[in-house]
Amino acid sequence: MTADALNLLLIDTEGATVPEIAATSAFGPFVTVRLQGLAEAAVRLTGQRFDGVVVAATNVEARRLLAWTGLSQAVADGAVVVLTTDDPGNDLAVRLVHAGVQDVLPLATDSVDALPRAVRLGIERKSQDRQTRKAYATDLMTGLPNQSQLVEHVNQLLALREREPAPQAPGAGGGEGLPPPPARPGEGTANVLRRKIAVRLRMGLRASDVVASVGADTFVVLLSKFQEAQDAERVADKLREALHPPFPIAGTEVAVAVAIGTAHHPADGRDAATLLRRAVGLAASGAASGRDGFANHLERGGTGAANDEPND
């Protein structure tokens, strides 16, 4: 099998079996794994990524897909095609597509040509969609997720918390994130400063947490999970300290002042928009701290600082 073979998970359910898909299909090549039942498939999906998932189901089983715990993981990783033994009707088919399924086809679909083609085209559409989302969901100056991508992250976590309750918190950092006029040293330097701020924020968090850029001088940190409400405040203090040392940029040092606002789920809201509005509002209304009463280097002059990030 070639290195670019596509991994497919075939899921049989009660009363329906996925037809064999030839490994050497003209729309492949494919490597297939076959499992019995949605429960076993959900466990497998948590530990292995598949390019495509094909589920064979009666209409009763197809409806259960809407509440299947493995569906969110399956549609996040690859293309899902559902084969039904009976006509699912417009309502069910549309609901499955809205849940992320690429296509809903009759179980009798030709397994030699039509089914492999549908699976391959679904995989290609998924890949294109992922690339498009990434292009439109990234802040180009910092490489961080932008606000739309952050909202998607929050919504995914909120859905997860419905099944696995645990506190989470978005924290917004704002205030004087960039040197104020007339000290602002130019757009190029401002962008360098934003990138350096992003690096320090990212270094102070776990891999499971998210840092996003939502404005010229506003960043949001999403803490995916913690034990107690005080933990979020401790992280906020840690990030405030990380941003305290001046940033060496183009032979000068630039100090920033930071105001941080933290919103807690579910106490401060149960949807992404409410939580982010709360965090950003608290940051905007809070007192910025961090300059210890002095202005940045361009306003006061001063000696160099330790260069804790590469010069740009």
Side-chain angles (χ1 to χ4, degrees):
M1 193 63 64
T2 61
D4 60 350
L6 299 170
N7 294 311
L8 302 184
L9 176 61
L10 312 182
I11 305 174
D12 300 332
T13 61
E14 185 175 353
T17 301
V18 179
E20 290 292 343
I21 298 178
T24 56
S25 167
F27 297 96
F30 298 114
V31 173
T32 60
V33 174
R34 183 180 295 273
L35 295 177
Q36 300 293 323
L38 298 177
E40 184 179 357
V43 174
R44 186 63 170 266
L45 284 164
T46 61
Q48 183 176 354
R49 180 190 178 282
F50 291 91
D51 299 297
V53 176
V54 185
V55 185
T58 62
N59 280 3
V60 173
E61 288 293 324
R63 289 191 178 277
R64 290 176 181 167
L65 286 174
L66 295 169
W68 177 40
T69 58
L71 184 60
S72 59
Q73 187 65 56
V75 299
D77 289 341
V80 178
V81 175
V82 176
L83 304 176
T84 57
T85 56
D86 305 299
D87 182 357
N90 180 70
D91 178 65
L92 177 56
V94 169
R95 291 176 65 189
L96 287 169
V97 170
H98 285 174
V101 170
Q102 285 287 319
D103 211 343
V104 181
L105 301 170
L107 185 59
T109 299
D110 172 34
S111 61
V112 176
D113 183 65
L115 179 56
R117 182 196 301 118
V119 172
R120 180 56 184 265
L121 293 181
I123 292 172
E124 294 302 323
R125 284 194 296 268
K126 190 73 177 182
S127 176
Q128 289 296 317
D129 179 64
R130 187 180 293 115
Q131 292 178 30
T132 301
R133 284 175 176 268
K134 183 177 181 180
Y136 282 97
T138 302
D139 174 64
L140 298 180
M141 287 299 102
T142 62
L144 295 176
N146 63 17
Q147 183 163 335
S148 64
Q149 181 70 357
L150 174 66
V151 169
E152 192 168 315
H153 280 299
V154 175
N155 284 332
Q156 288 173 352
L157 277 175
L158 291 176
L160 178 62
R161 294 295 165 249
E162 292 295 323
R163 299 192 296 268
E164 303 174 14
Q168 66 179 48
E176 297 178 51
L178 296 175
R184 189 182 297 272
E187 193 63 29
T189 301
N191 288 334
V192 172
L193 177 57
R194 291 182 66 221
R195 289 196 292 270
K196 287 179 175 285
I197 291 174
V199 169
R200 286 198 194 173
L201 290 174
R202 184 66 269 172
M203 290 177 63
L205 297 169
R206 303 167 299 183
S208 59
D209 297 327
V210 176
V211 182
S213 175
V214 299
D217 59 358
T218 304
F219 295 86
V220 171
V221 171
L222 175 61
L223 305 180
S224 58
K225 188 176 182 180
F226 51 89
Q227 298 300 317
E228 301 176 356
Q230 296 89 329
D231 292 342
E233 305 308 323
R234 282 193 285 269
V235 173
D237 289 339
K238 178 181 177 182
L239 295 178
R240 191 179 287 109
E241 288 183 15
L243 297 178
H244 174 72
F247 292 81
I249 300 176
T252 66
E253 61 178 52
V254 178
V256 299
V258 179
I260 297 179
T262 305
H264 296 263
H265 172 268
D268 292 323
R270 293 182 174 273
D271 63 90
T274 300
L275 289 168
L276 294 177
R277 191 182 307 114
R278 171 71 171 168
V280 173
L282 288 172
S285 62
S289 64
R291 283 191 183 150
D292 291 337
F294 59 81
N296 63 65
H297 175 87
L298 295 178
E299 293 171 296
R300 66 182 174 88
T303 59
N307 190 349
D308 57 328
E309 294 96 8
N311 277 314
D312 291 270

